[in-house]
Amino acid sequence: QVQLVESGGGLVQAGGSLRLSCAASGSINVANSMGWYRQAPGKQREFVARITSSGSTYYADSVKGRFTISRDFAKNTVYLQMNNMNPEDTGVYYCNGNRAAQNYWGQGTQVTVSS
């Protein structure tokens, strides 16, 4: 059984920062390919960032230079540091894990950026 639990969402003003956490448990760990996606109201879920099993990182163009994905093997947790946020970053943020060609999702955490 795989469990991904996000935390750290909330309300922040434009220009502010938040750090999201995704605690992994069960038959998945953060050495697997892990990522963050988000879904704004009325829009499809979109890719935000990914860290591969080798440690390579990838970002959506809209967040490059502002967001950083990282992982802590000891805590089996993936993080998304979000800086210089803007209202377009508002949405539900989902943690994603990929293991053995299977995709797993957390329940999501709400992030709201006020202007």
Side-chain angles (χ1 to χ4, degrees), residues 53-74:
S53 56
S54 64
S56 297
T57 56
Y58 301 90
Y59 298 93
D61 288 343
S62 59
V63 308
K64 277 181 184 175
R66 301 188 298 121
F67 291 11
T68 303
I69 188 171
S70 62
R71 59 190 175 186
D72 185 324
F73 290 108

Side-chain angles (χ1 to χ4, degrees), residues 13-58:
Q13 288 188 329
S17 298
L18 281 177
R19 189 177 79 156
L20 305 182
S21 300
C22 171
S25 61
S27 57
I28 194 168
N29 63 65
V30 296
N32 296 116
S33 179
M34 303 291 295
W36 288 94
Y37 290 71
R38 67 187 180 189
Q39 188 166 16
K43 293 188 177 181
Q44 290 189 329
R45 191 174 298 188
E46 65 175 4
F47 167 76
V48 175
R50 176 160 296 278
I51 184 165
T52 68
S53 56
S54 64
S56 297
T57 56
Y58 301 90

